[in-house]
């Protein structure tokens, strides 16, 4: 997928850089940061999209499971913001976009570690927005609604998926392109006075009480 996307970008006459990294390993992120600076001279935009989850009753959630989810979703975001944020502060400009979740705002059954991690991502987004605003950096987040992917498609065909659809006023699931539009906004100069916000792209899910 990375190669295919990079090839599409290069076909438009743009440059890309293909470097594998791991949000669990600070040295890996530092190497990525350095490679970006060497290739492009600066970092304007950072999107933190790495995330994992596991459905498990809270009483059965052992500490390794809890730590693994927190380490990717929250600590990985924090590591990346620290590493890339430093050079953004030095440059006096930056656009940071974190991927939050509907679980940042509401609870989903038997995914407490994921919900806690994404609520923390929301708090981190607001904290960094306040702390780094004077350096020309905006920090915002996107909370996607239900977007079918290869990872969740089977789940969405179950009763859980039917309930999620029932709770979505638009009566459909979203698409990746609809989420991408929010990222384009946060990355652009149009959002220059917008920071510390979490934008839900959810078909009305969070606004909904009773749908019928």
């Amino acid at each position: 997928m990375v190669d295919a996307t990079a090839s599409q970008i290069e076909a438009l006459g743009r440059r890309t850089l293909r470097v594998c990294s791991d949000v669990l390993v600070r040295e890996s992120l530092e190497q990525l940061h350095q490679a970006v600076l060497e290739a492009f001279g600066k970092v304007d935009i950072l999107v933190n999209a790495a995330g994992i989850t596991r459905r498990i009753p809270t009483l059965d959630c052992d500490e390794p499971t809890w730590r693994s989810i927190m380490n990717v979703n929250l600590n990985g975001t924090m590591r990346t913001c620290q590493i890339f944020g430093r050079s953004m502060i030095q440059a006096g400009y930056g656009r940071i976009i974190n991927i939050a979740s509907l679980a940042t705002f509401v609870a989903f059954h038997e995914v407490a570690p994921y919900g806690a991690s994404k609520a923390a991502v929301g708090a981190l987004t607001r904290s960094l927005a306040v702390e780094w605003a004077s350096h020309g950096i905006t920090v915002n987040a996107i909370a996607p609604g239900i977007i079918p992917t290869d990872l969740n498609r089977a789940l969405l065909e179950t009763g859980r998926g039917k309930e999620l659809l029932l709770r979505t006023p638009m009566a459909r699931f979203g698409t990746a392109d609809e989420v991408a539009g929010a990222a384009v906004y946060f990355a652009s100069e149009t959002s220059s006075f917008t920071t510390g916000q979490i934008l839900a792209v959810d078909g009305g899910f969070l606004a909904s009480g009773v749908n019928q």
Side-chain angles (χ1 to χ4, degrees):
M1 180 180 293
V2 171
D3 285 339
T5 301
S7 295
Q8 291 175 359
I9 294 171
E10 290 163 356
L12 297 173
R14 305 293 185 178
R15 292 184 297 160
T16 66
L17 180 66
R18 312 177 195 195
V19 178
C20 292
S21 61
D22 185 348
V23 298
L24 297 177
V25 182
R26 181 173 290 272
E27 292 76 12
S28 167
L29 295 173
E30 290 172 342
Q31 290 170 4
L32 171 63
H33 177 247
Q34 186 58 39
V36 172
L37 291 181
E38 291 175 358
F40 303 111
K42 61 178 180 176
V43 179
D44 291 324
I45 303 162
L46 169 66
V47 179
N48 286 305
I52 61 172
T53 188
R54 179 181 174 187
R55 183 175 181 179
I56 184 172
T58 302
L59 292 180
D60 298 331
C61 179
D62 55 29
E63 291 200 14
T65 298
W66 178 274
R67 286 196 298 267
S68 68
I69 293 172
M70 285 291 179
N71 205 15
V72 173
N73 297 358
L74 175 59
N75 300 345
T77 299
M78 176 61 172
R79 290 184 192 100
T80 311
C81 285
Q82 282 183 321
I83 292 167
F84 285 81
R86 189 177 300 278
S87 62
M88 287 180 173
I89 288 173
Q90 292 173 349
Y93 180 90
R95 298 283 186 267
I96 297 177
I97 306 165
N98 296 325
I99 302 301
S101 167
L102 297 181
T104 303
F105 303 99
V106 297
F108 289 81
H109 189 56
E110 295 184 340
V111 288
Y114 177 79
S117 71
K118 287 300 187 176
V121 167
L124 177 64
T125 298
R126 289 185 287 266
S127 294
L128 295 182
V130 171
E131 187 174 342
W132 294 350
S134 62
H135 298 286
I137 299 170
T138 65
V139 187
N140 295 288
I142 301 169
I146 311 305
I147 312 295
T149 68
D150 292 339
L151 294 178
N152 68 6
R153 206 174 304 276
L155 175 65
L156 295 181
E157 295 175 356
T158 68
R160 193 177 180 101
K162 292 178 181 177
E163 181 180 354
L164 291 168
L165 190 60
L166 180 65
R167 290 171 177 263
T168 304
M170 285 190 177
R172 67 174 179 85
F173 297 134
T175 68
D177 285 345
E178 289 172 317
V179 177
V184 170
Y185 166 68
F186 281 141
S188 73
E189 288 306 300
T190 304
S191 66
S192 58
F193 198 55
T194 303
T195 196
Q197 300 303 306
I198 305 173
L199 175 60
V201 184
D202 66 351
F205 187 101
L206 292 178
S208 175
V210 177
N211 291 334
Q212 58 182 319

